[in-house]
């Protein structure tokens, strides 16, 4: 399966933008990039996903590199409620197929 | 309603006990999942049900026995567990996966299990 690499942790101040990187150099042309996050004491929740073009929704934006070997999840204004573990997951023929295979993720800390 | 409910929230059991975890969703999803999450680790897939039939078993020991009695319910029966099975057990549901790999999984809050 194609693998993802994320920093173990990142810190941000409240109200500032946060850019969470993910490397996936072995991604195939049909693998989708999904992001989930897990708030403390909760189950994971879907954030966003994309294939080639940048994507926006009410929670975040996803910027995908032109060669698709990396992507960045962008939280435009971090709040304390955004403190969570963020998981970048590939899904597709080489990216785990129907399964969600979670990596170690990035622990985001948000400070006042 | 995008809620997946799990009961109980917490469970303590001895190694000789038999217990069951329950998961319920009313989103019309026909795929349901069990994940196991140890402390400070990512969730790991255990089982997948598709149209109420077991489609994936990730080589889980037989002391864990899943059951999908109908399209809204998913159970995980536990018997003769070991202390190392203590973990957060997460249930999720989704539309049945397609070859487009875009469907979202909705997770419940989990059952925190302690095996003594």
């Amino acid at each position: 399966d194609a693998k993802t690499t994320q920093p173990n942790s990142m810190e941000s101040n409240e109200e500032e933008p946060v850019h969470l990187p993910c490397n996936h150099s072995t991604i195939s042309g049909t693998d989708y990039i999904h992001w989930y996050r897990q708030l403390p004491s909760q189950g994971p929740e879907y954030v966003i996903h994309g294939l080639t073009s940048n994507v926006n929704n009410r929670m975040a934006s996803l910027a995908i590199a032109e060669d698709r070997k990396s992507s960045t999840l962008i939280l435009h204004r971090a709040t304390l409620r955004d403190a969570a573990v963020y998981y970048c997951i590939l899904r597709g023929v080489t990216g785990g197929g129907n399964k969600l295979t979670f990596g170690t993720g990035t622990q985001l800390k948000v400070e006042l | 309603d995008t809620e997946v409910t799990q009961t109980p929230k917490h469970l303590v059991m001895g190694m000789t006990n038999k217990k069951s975890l329950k998961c319920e969703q009313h989103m019309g999803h026909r795929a349901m999942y069990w994940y196991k999450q140890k402390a400070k680790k990512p969730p790991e897939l255990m089982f997948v049900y598709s149209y109420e039939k077991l489609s994936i078993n990730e080589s889980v020991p037989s002391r864990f026995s899943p059951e999908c009695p109908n399209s809204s319910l998913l159970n995980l029966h536990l018997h003769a567990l070991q202390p190392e099975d203590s973990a957060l057990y997460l249930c999720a549901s989704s539309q049945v996966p397609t070859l487009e790999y875009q469907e979202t999984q909705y997770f419940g809050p989990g059952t925190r299990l302690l095996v003594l």
Side-chain angles (χ1 to χ4, degrees):
Chain A
D1 293 349
K3 300 287 188 226
T4 62
T5 304
Q6 299 177 253
N8 288 333
S9 65
M10 293 185 66
E11 292 185 6
S12 173
N13 294 320
E14 202 176 20
E15 306 288 311
E16 291 185 356
V18 180
H19 291 233
L20 298 167
C22 180
N23 288 320
H24 28 78
S25 57
T26 59
I27 192 171
S28 82
T30 55
D31 287 344
Y32 279 83
I33 304 158
H34 289 248
W35 285 81
Y36 282 73
R37 72 179 186 181
Q38 188 170 18
L39 302 171
S41 301
Q42 293 189 27
E45 65 174 342
Y46 168 80
V47 178
I48 202 167
H49 78 279
L51 182 62
T52 55
S53 303
N54 294 345
V55 184
N56 300 298
N57 66 20
R58 64 173 181 81
M59 289 182 70
S61 295
L62 177 60
I64 301 173
E66 198 168 332
D67 64 5
R68 300 207 333 119
K69 293 184 185 301
S70 65
S71 60
T72 303
L73 180 70
I74 303 167
L75 307 179
H76 295 286
R77 291 179 65 201
T79 70
L80 295 177
R81 195 196 171 278
D82 292 319
V85 179
Y86 287 79
Y87 296 101
C88 169
I89 301 168
L90 299 183
R91 296 192 59 206
V93 174
T94 61
N98 295 335
K99 301 188 290 187
L100 280 183
T101 302
F102 290 82
T104 52
T106 297
Q107 174 71 64
L108 175 65
K109 301 175 186 176
V110 181
E111 298 177 343
L112 290 170
Chain B
D1 179 13
T2 59
E3 189 179 22
V4 175
T5 58
Q6 291 188 243
T7 54
K9 289 190 185 333
H10 296 90
L11 179 63
V12 180
M13 61 185 291
M15 290 188 285
T16 59
N17 293 156
K18 285 185 181 180
K19 297 286 184 182
S20 296
L21 309 184
K22 179 181 172 182
C23 172
E24 193 166 5
Q25 57 88 16
H26 295 286
M27 293 177 275
H29 291 162
R30 301 299 295 276
M32 297 187 76
Y33 311 77
W34 281 114
Y35 290 81
K36 175 182 178 178
Q37 186 174 25
K38 301 281 281 183
K40 306 290 186 187
K41 297 292 186 182
E44 294 181 339
L45 182 67
M46 300 174 72
F47 302 104
V48 180
Y49 273 83
S50 183
Y51 297 111
E52 295 85 68
K53 294 194 186 311
L54 184 65
S55 60
I56 296 177
N57 177 341
E58 292 286 281
S59 303
V60 178
S62 60
R63 57 185 184 269
F64 295 91
S65 177
E67 178 196 22
C68 190
N70 61 56
S71 60
S72 301
L73 279 175
L74 184 66
N75 298 319
L76 185 62
H77 303 297
L78 313 173
H79 173 55
L81 294 194
Q82 303 297 310
E84 58 264 30
D85 296 321
S86 298
L88 181 68
Y89 288 85
L90 294 159
C91 173
S93 72
S94 74
Q95 301 288 352
V96 173
T98 69
L99 290 177
E100 293 188 345
Y101 307 112
Q102 294 195 66
E103 70 290 339
T104 296
Q105 288 192 20
Y106 295 85
F107 285 80
T111 293
R112 194 163 296 281
L113 174 67
L114 177 62
V115 181
L116 299 176

